[in-house]
């Protein structure tokens, strides 16, 4: 869910790392290629795939648990390569007018972010649907795409000097609204799994806000800290939208709980503490907005103290082996897995540390045994096969609810669209997608 994060100074040539949309897979890029890992077990880190065909990879994104993977390398930073890694084929590649800074994808859309423009493709045939030109300078490629294809909202900075968020509807290809989220420039954006909430943080990194989508109303405001400014490197919801995790260049990871607070609480007994609590709450109405805001903001529900500080890292909140876990991947090539207490919170307990740069165990055969048959075309990879039993449900996983592999998922939850199962009529044709000349959003 977090984009591939560049870490130029990372030891052992770990150049980027990203979780897939439902946090069931981890992708890393190195100077020699890229690797994909399955996150289905705590004790064992299963390497699903390794490729050394493209060196100096700085972006690698996998579409859920499918065979579709998007790669960009420093050798050709203006070119996006789309692969079917289990077939070992390049589906297509596109070239753009400047360096690709980030890529986002769901089962409906593929978004390519440049410094001053954004390209929106239909993921089923890679047709360019929309080019958003002259966006405010976005040197980090900051943007977020909802993983729910029914709500394919895209969020990106609406200003280079303030924390304004531009919200764009990737389905209707129209601007939805503008959200004045922060005073300073944005540093992090993320949607929840249904696309109904959007979280943001500014470059100061002290306050995190959550807004309703598509209306843009502020729902929550969390304070990460007031002592110092930090660089937020990762911001992610849990799949059930109950928790929000934020990590930075410091040693502390914060987890906030999105609790539903109502005013219809029972009357508290007439105690001294209850009386003082009401007096304090009433006093905030007469204080300056900035002061009263600090007093009313929620603190972290749970925290983690990392053994390292200053390294780039990304986090994920996932359910592994039926228990909630916090995953932290660091630029020195380690994956830390912590237990999260969903009831009491507090300090999360480290239970496993995996090295991502060792010789990972290949688990392609094991994964194939757990999954439905591998699709044999590009369209089937992203839209599922059409030759399924004539029932209203099918086995798989859902981007809408974060369901586990193998559960019964309603057929309507998968994106609709043309599907070709004939290798000679790939959609798009693989034979037409190889080689070519670079250009502006041009298929090569």
């Amino acid at each position: 869910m977090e984009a591939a994060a560049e870490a130029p100074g990372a030891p052992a040539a770990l150049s980027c790392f990203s979780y897939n949309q439902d946090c069931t897979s981890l992708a890393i890029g190195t100077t020699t290629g890229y690797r994909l890992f399955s996150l289905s077990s705590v004790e064992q880190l299963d390497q699903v795939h390794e490729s050394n065909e493209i060196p100096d990879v700085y972006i690698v994104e996998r579409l859920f648990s499918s065979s579709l993977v998007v790669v960009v390398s420093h050798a050709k930073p203006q070119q996006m390569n789309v692969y079917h890694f289990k077939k070992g084929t390049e589906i297509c590649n596109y070239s753009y007018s400047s360096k690709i800074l980030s890529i986002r994808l769901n089962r409906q859309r593929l978004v390519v972010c440049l410094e001053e423009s954004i390209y929106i493709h239909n993921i089923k045939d890679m047709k360019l649907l929309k080019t958003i030109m002259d966006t405010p300078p976005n040197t980090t490629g900051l943007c977020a795409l909802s993983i729910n294809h029914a709500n394919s909202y895209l969020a990106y900075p609406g200003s280079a000097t303030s924390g304004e968020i531009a919200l764009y509807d990737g389905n209707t290809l129209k601007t939805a609204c503008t959200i004045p989220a922060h005073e300073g420039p944005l540093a992090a954006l993320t949607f929840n799994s249904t696309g109904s909430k959007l979280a943001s943080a500014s470059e100061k990194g002290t306050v995190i806000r959550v807004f309703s989508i598509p209306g843009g109303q502020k729902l929550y405001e969390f304070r990460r800290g007031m002592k110092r400014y930090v660089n937020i490197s990762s911001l992610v919801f849990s799949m059930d939208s109950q928790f929000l995790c934020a990590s930075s260049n410091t040693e502390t990871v914060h987890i906030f709980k999105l609790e539903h607070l109502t005013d219809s609480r029972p009357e508290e007994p007439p105690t001294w503490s209850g009386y003082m609590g009401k007096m304090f709450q009433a006093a905030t109405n007469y204080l300056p907005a900035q002061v009263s805001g600090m007093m009313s903001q929620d603190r972290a529900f749970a925290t983690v103290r990392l053994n390292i500080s200053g390294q780039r890292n990304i986090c994920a909140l996932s359910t592994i082996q039926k228990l909630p876990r916090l995953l932290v991947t660091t630029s020195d090539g380690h994956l830390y897995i912590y237990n999260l207490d969903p009831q009491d919170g507090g300090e999360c307990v480290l239970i496993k540390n995996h090295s991502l740069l060792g010789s990972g165990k290949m688990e392609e055969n094991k994964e194939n045994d757990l999954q439905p048959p591998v699709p044999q075309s590009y369209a089937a990879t992203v839209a599922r096969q059409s030759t399924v039993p004539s029932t209203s449900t099918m086995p798989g996983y859902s981007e809408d609810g974060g369901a586990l592999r193998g559960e019964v998922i309603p057929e309507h939850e998968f994106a609709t669209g043309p599907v070709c199962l004939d290798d000679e009529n790939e959609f798009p044709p693989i034979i037409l997608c190889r080689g070519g000349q670079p250009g502006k959003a041009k298929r090569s």
Side-chain angles (χ1 to χ4, degrees):
M1 306 258 311
E2 180 74 20
E6 289 193 48
L14 187 61
S15 56
C16 65
F17 33 96
S18 65
Y19 300 103
N20 66 343
Q21 293 77 14
D22 56 2
C23 300
T24 59
S25 177
L26 172 66
I28 65 170
T30 68
T31 56
T32 60
Y34 69 91
R35 298 182 185 185
L36 305 175
F37 299 92
S38 172
L39 301 175
S40 58
S41 171
V42 170
E43 294 298 323
Q44 183 172 315
L45 184 64
D46 300 332
Q47 182 172 297
V48 176
H49 178 71
E50 180 177 8
S51 173
N52 296 320
E53 295 182 4
I54 297 183
D56 295 324
V57 171
Y58 73 93
I59 293 178
V60 55
E61 295 284 347
R62 185 183 184 187
L63 179 64
F64 290 92
S65 296
S66 71
S67 300
L68 184 77
V69 63
V70 183
V71 180
V72 183
S73 74
H74 283 297
K76 295 182 179 180
Q78 296 176 226
Q79 180 173 297
M80 172 187 67
N81 302 85
V82 184
Y83 294 100
H84 188 304
F85 70 81
K86 287 185 179 178
K87 290 178 63 177
T89 56
E90 180 185 82
I91 296 169
C92 62
N93 59 72
Y94 275 77
S95 294
Y96 301 85
S97 58
S98 61
K99 180 180 179 179
I100 299 171
L101 299 179
S102 63
I103 290 175
R104 303 288 186 269
L105 58 164
N106 61 26
R107 289 197 174 277
Q108 196 78 23
R109 298 288 182 254
L110 186 150
V111 175
V112 179
C113 182
L114 312 184
E115 183 173 349
E116 295 186 352
S117 58
I118 296 176
Y119 296 83
I120 302 176
H121 294 266
N122 180 24
I123 201 169
K124 295 177 184 62
D125 57 7
M126 283 305 297
K127 178 183 177 182
L128 180 63
L129 301 176
K130 181 71 176 181
T131 302
I132 305 175
M133 301 296 294
D134 301 322
T135 58
N138 184 5
T139 57
T140 62
L142 176 63
C143 68
L145 177 68
S146 168
I147 68 171
N148 179 3
H149 61 262
N151 291 329
S152 287
Y153 288 107
L154 170 68
Y156 60 93
S159 170
T161 57
S162 69
E164 182 180 279
I165 302 173
L167 185 67
Y168 192 86
D169 191 328
N171 285 335
T172 64
L173 303 178
K174 295 180 180 179
T175 299
C177 71
T178 300
I179 304 173
H182 302 270
E183 292 182 1
L186 296 169
L189 292 168
T190 187
F191 286 98
N192 68 338
S193 61
T194 60
S196 61
K197 295 181 178 67
L198 173 68
S200 66
S202 71
E203 290 182 352
K204 290 182 179 180
T206 55
V207 175
I208 296 168
R209 296 188 172 104
V210 179
F211 302 90
S212 65
I213 299 300
Q217 292 83 14
K218 187 172 71 172
L219 302 176
Y220 302 90
E221 188 171 273
F222 303 107
R223 181 161 292 278
R224 199 211 56 82
M226 293 185 290
K227 293 182 180 180
R228 54 179 171 171
Y229 294 162
V230 299
N231 298 320
I232 299 292
S233 59
S234 178
L235 191 62
V236 61
F237 285 94
S238 59
M239 290 300 294
D240 60 7
S241 302
Q242 291 187 16
F243 300 98
L244 177 65
C245 178
S247 66
S248 65
N249 58 334
T250 68
E251 68 281 357
T252 307
V253 178
H254 296 79
I255 301 174
F256 303 96
K257 191 171 186 178
L258 282 68
E259 297 180 297
H260 297 285
L261 302 177
T262 62
D263 295 330
S264 57
R265 291 175 294 180
E267 186 70 21
E268 296 180 0
T271 62
W272 173 253
S273 60
Y275 172 77
M276 290 303 295
K278 288 184 178 181
M279 290 295 293
F280 179 81
Q281 184 178 10
T284 61
N285 297 327
Y286 299 95
L287 295 173
Q290 185 176 4
V291 177
S292 63
M294 289 182 183
M295 291 181 176
S296 63
Q297 288 162 356
D298 293 333
R299 294 290 180 170
F301 171 76
T303 57
V304 166
R305 291 281 180 177
L306 303 176
N307 294 327
I308 49 101
S309 178
Q311 288 194 27
R312 188 66 183 256
N313 62 75
I314 58 172
C315 297
L317 293 168
S318 182
T319 299
I320 301 178
Q321 294 171 319
K322 299 183 179 181
L323 292 175
R325 320 282 187 179
L326 168 67
L327 312 179
V328 182
T329 303
T330 57
S331 58
D332 63 350
H334 285 88
L335 170 64
Y336 300 90
I337 303 179
Y338 297 83
N339 274 342
L340 170 63
D341 187 336
Q343 300 298 326
D344 299 326
E347 186 74 16
C348 297
V349 179
L350 177 65
I351 55 175
K352 194 66 179 180
N353 176 10
H354 292 287
S355 173
L356 301 172
L357 297 170
S359 55
K361 181 180 178 182
M362 293 297 294
E363 289 291 325
E364 288 184 322
N365 293 332
K366 179 180 177 181
E367 183 167 283
N368 287 341
D369 292 338
L370 294 174
Q371 290 185 341
V374 179
Q376 293 301 308
S377 75
Y378 172 78
T381 299
V382 298
R384 295 286 178 181
Q385 296 184 9
S386 60
T387 55
V388 294
S390 56
T391 60
S392 60
T393 58
M394 61 186 297
Y397 56 86
S398 168
E399 58 266 47
D400 295 336
L404 299 176
R405 181 185 299 142
E407 289 186 358
V408 176
I409 305 300
E411 211 170 33
H412 70 269
E413 289 193 9
F414 295 99
T416 58
V419 177
C420 295
L421 302 180
D422 188 349
D423 286 341
E424 295 182 359
N425 294 287
E426 292 281 353
F427 197 56
I430 291 179
I431 193 172
L432 299 179
C433 295
R434 295 171 180 165
Q437 300 177 353
K440 189 173 182 180
K442 202 182 258 190
R443 181 183 300 175
S444 46

